[in-house]
Amino acid sequence: MADKFDVVVIGAGPAGYVAAIRCAQLGMRTACVDRWLGAGNQPSLGGTCLNVGCIPSKALLEASELFIEAARGAAYGIRTQGVALDLPGMMRHKDKVVGELTGGVAQLFRAHGIAWVAGKGKLLPNHRVEATEHNGSVRTLEGSNVILASGSQPVELGVAPLAGDRVVDSTGALSFDSVPARLGIIGAGVIGLELGSVWQRLGSKVVLLEAQERFLAIADGQVAREAYKQFSAQGLDIRLGARVLGSKVTEKGVTVEYEDKSGAQRLECDRLVVAVGRRPNTEGLYDAETELLLDEFGFVHVDERCRTNLPGVYAVGDVVRGPMLAHKGMEEGVMVAETIAGHHAEVNYDIIPSVIYTSPEIAWAGKTEEALKAAGVDYRAGNFPFAANGRAKALGQTGGFIKILSDARTDRVLGVHMIGPQCAELIALGVMAMEFGASSEDIALTMFAHPSLSESFHEAALSVLGRPLHVAKAARTPRAAAGGADG
Ligand code: FAD
Ligand code: NAD
């Protein structure tokens, strides 16, 4: 006898658990099958994001940043003595944050009457899901609808296979038991930069080997150049155009052989992190008889409403096309729940915020300047440097800028790009502006609190219009404006 539900969700990461909550809120009988085992080998909700992704990495980023700031007290007129790292304590902080948040999802499931099945789910024909629980017992769940939200896992490299605690993926790099004196990282993408920053702040000498010649090719070029300059000044050794040929674990550490345009190179490090992207979890997710369609890259094929080729079967989050970001998956989860309930819902894929939680933070939404040029769009750009912002000066974090790109004809904002303090929060201003179809003049006519970092957003809009107040002239580049001052 099958357990009957209106919706069965496979996967309880941000895409799946949010889909399940919204389905339950809309009055649907909902089950969620998830296989994750966390601390103590206990089932844990929240998927990659809460267990080994967004949350633990941000806990370490915040803690390691505080460590640096504490040691920098003298710059603020604070004498500090005996600032020392307690790595096990920092890891306990991280684990506590993870435990509270994963436990919070379990509470939300209880509050919404969602049936949580801890085990592996497999899609069978006719909306049935076979759930193999951790104790080996097998149940069949029958859903009028099924949502696949099985997420992703790190890509492995044949030339640098994982090896104990010497060669690790991002999960291993969140739990080192000591600070490696020399840390190598393959891939200078989001994970490489975030986790590289954590260990560099805690004392590692970090070398990043990046295959591409252009640093942070996904970001606006001007932001990427500023980031490269600032990260290099902090001591991150970013080697571009590096083709890794092989790696060898030795008694003392790891040797990585690679080549770049100068020829063959060798990197000796104590530990190596492989951070070269993630791939969708589709193995064992469905029975071949279902005839579920994957796309050419191995993601579950979906349309713009996250409908698969099977009626009543949807897929959301990292297992489908688009950026692998928790908030993108959550919005898809909500869209699918609403669609199943018969409501109209959509996701605006053109305005997905991206954030890199380094120091300075990097954030953007909408089109880059390079993309606008390539598309032949006539645009205007305005920049404002944090060096001319009073709050940034008070914070002692004056590197970076905010840049707004708007349509030259209509003045509608097409892209917002920033690097500097608290940009993860500030980017929401750009997202809201673009969602509401704002022009740079709309932003210019809006009042912002003084002194605040958000004034730089206001000034960037004024700069698009050629009339910034706190720099001598409309700046095309942040460097040109560095002499400005904000009273
Ligand atoms: P996942 O979170 O991967 O969850 C999928 C769940 O499904 C897992 O629990 C998995 O065990 C389960 N599952 C898989 N197959 C089955 C099956 N057959 N049966 C049952 N259960 C199954 N994104 C951000 O937006 N911001 C960040 O700051 C950020 N930081 C990150 C830092 C790191 C180190 C990493 C690795 C990732 C980070 N990400 C971040 C990416 C983010 O974690 C993912 O985009 C997000 O978790 C995807 O959500 P999801 O629900 O699609 O999949
Ligand atoms: P990524 O795509 O951001 O970066 C991978 C990097 O590795 C790229 O720069 C790529 O050119 C490089 N690379 C690939 N193969 C290589 C090789 N053989 N040698 C050297 N370099 C190589 O992927 P990631 O950093 O692994 O992160 C995975 C996903 O997780 C990303 O899609 C990201 O969106 C998500 N994530 C997001 C956040 C955030 O939102 N703050 C944080 C962490 C992870």
Side-chain angles (χ1 to χ4, degrees):
M1 211 6 219
D3 296 330
K4 292 199 177 207
F5 294 92
D6 295 313
V7 182
V8 178
V9 183
I10 300 181
Y17 84 70
V18 165
I21 289 172
R22 189 66 194 127
C23 285
Q25 286 176 343
L26 289 164
M28 294 182 265
R29 197 165 173 245
T30 306
C32 184
V33 189
D34 187 274
R35 68 182 181 192
W36 197 280
L37 293 173
N41 238 13
Q42 292 302 306
S44 178
L45 295 170
T48 304
C49 175
L50 269 62
N51 289 284
V52 296
C54 329
I55 298 303
S57 61
K58 267 78 251 179
L60 290 182
L61 277 156
E62 295 293 352
S64 59
E65 181 68 5
L66 283 174
F67 178 55
I68 293 285
E69 287 295 304
R72 237 170 45 99
Y76 304 100
I78 304 167
R79 278 199 210 125
T80 47
Q81 272 180 340
V83 175
L85 174 65
D86 166 16
L87 187 60
M90 202 176 271
M91 291 296 167
R92 277 197 301 279
H93 160 70
K94 175 203 71 173
D95 294 340
K96 182 166 175 280
V97 174
V98 168
E100 285 173 2
L101 288 174
T102 55
V105 178
Q107 264 177 17
L108 288 171
F109 270 24
R110 277 195 294 278
H112 287 89
I114 296 163
W116 170 16
V117 182
K120 197 161 180 288
K122 183 182 199 177
L123 178 70
L124 303 178
N126 304 319
H127 301 166
R128 283 171 308 130
V129 171
E130 178 189 271
T132 307
E133 297 181 61
H134 294 300
N135 62 10
S137 64
V138 180
R139 292 163 63 177
T140 305
L141 313 176
E142 210 171 274
S144 306
N145 300 274
V146 176
I147 303 175
L148 306 175
S150 54
S152 63
Q153 58 184 289
V155 167
E156 291 186 17
L157 266 188
V159 287
L162 302 187
D165 62 358
R166 285 280 181 210
V167 184
V168 300
D169 58 17
S170 57
T171 302
L174 288 167
S175 297
F176 287 151
D177 54 6
S178 60
V179 179
R182 301 165 305 167
L183 179 65
I185 301 181
I186 305 183
V190 191
I191 291 180
L193 290 171
E194 289 188 353
L195 295 184
S197 296
V198 166
W199 293 107
Q200 191 261 342
R201 290 170 194 168
L202 300 183
S204 298
K205 172 73 200 137
V206 178
V207 177
L208 294 119
L209 301 179
E210 167 58 46
Q212 294 201 47
E213 293 287 349
R214 193 185 141 191
F215 178 60
L216 266 187
I218 48 168
D220 184 272
Q222 202 176 352
V223 169
R225 284 190 293 280
E226 176 71 15
Y228 185 83
K229 197 180 74 186
Q230 294 211 29
F231 295 152
S232 301
Q234 288 167 14
L236 284 179
D237 181 350
I238 304 165
R239 302 183 187 173
L240 300 172
R243 201 164 76 83
V244 177
L245 304 171
S247 63
K248 196 169 161 212
V249 177
T250 62
E251 232 170 74
K252 285 194 180 153
V254 189
T255 305
V256 185
E257 307 281 353
Y258 67 98
E259 66 182 15
D260 59 18
K261 57 181 178 232
S262 319
Q265 310 285 351
R266 170 182 290 201
L267 173 72
E268 302 284 353
C269 49
D270 301 300
R271 288 182 174 176
L272 179 67
V273 182
V274 180
V276 292
R278 297 179 60 83
R279 63 184 171 88
N281 285 330
T282 53
E283 267 170 39
L285 177 66
Y286 59 98
D287 192 296
E289 271 187 38
T290 59
E291 297 186 357
L292 179 76
L293 200 64
L294 302 188
D295 68 19
E296 57 189 314
F297 305 106
F299 293 87
V300 175
H301 174 81
V302 287
D303 66 8
E304 73 291 350
R305 298 281 162 83
C306 289
R307 292 175 289 217
T308 70
N309 63 314
L310 308 176
V313 179
Y314 302 80
V316 293
D318 280 12
V319 79
V320 304
R321 81 300 174 249
M324 288 180 161
L325 295 172
H327 42 281
K328 173 260 193 189
M330 292 191 211
E331 290 305 317
E332 289 181 333
V334 169
M335 171 175 73
V336 165
E338 300 282 350
T339 303
I340 292 172
H343 304 155
H344 177 81
E346 51 189 59
V347 167
N348 185 353
Y349 287 99
D350 289 335
I351 309 176
I352 298 176
S354 289
V355 177
I356 306 179
Y357 292 81
T358 43
S359 180
E361 290 181 343
I362 297 169
W364 69 90
K367 301 275 185 256
T368 62
E369 203 162 345
E370 290 75 14
L372 292 177
K373 273 186 191 145
V377 177
D378 195 8
Y379 66 93
R380 287 187 296 181
N383 253 299
F384 190 79
F386 284 109
N389 175 283
R391 188 81 194 279
K393 275 205 187 297
L395 273 170
Q397 296 176 33
T398 50
F401 56 90
I402 294 183
K403 163 162 140 177
I404 294 179
L405 302 168
S406 82
D407 187 292
R409 197 175 49 86
T410 64
D411 191 31
R412 190 177 172 138
V413 177
L414 302 174
V416 177
H417 304 271
M418 45 182 80
I419 174 167
Q422 295 181 34
C423 285
E425 304 297 331
L426 293 171
I427 193 60
L429 295 170
V431 171
M432 295 276 285
M434 281 188 281
E435 276 293 349
F436 294 165
S439 62
S440 61
E441 183 152 26
D442 291 326
I443 300 168
L445 290 169
T446 305
M447 198 186 296
F448 290 78
H450 177 77
S452 70
L453 297 172
S454 63
E455 286 175 288
S456 296
F457 182 68
H458 187 219
E459 289 275 3
L462 287 167
S463 183
V464 172
L465 304 172
R467 49 184 169 90
L469 292 165
H470 291 91
V471 283
K473 57 178 179 157
R476 271 300 289 125
T477 67
R479 223 169 276 141
D486 172 3

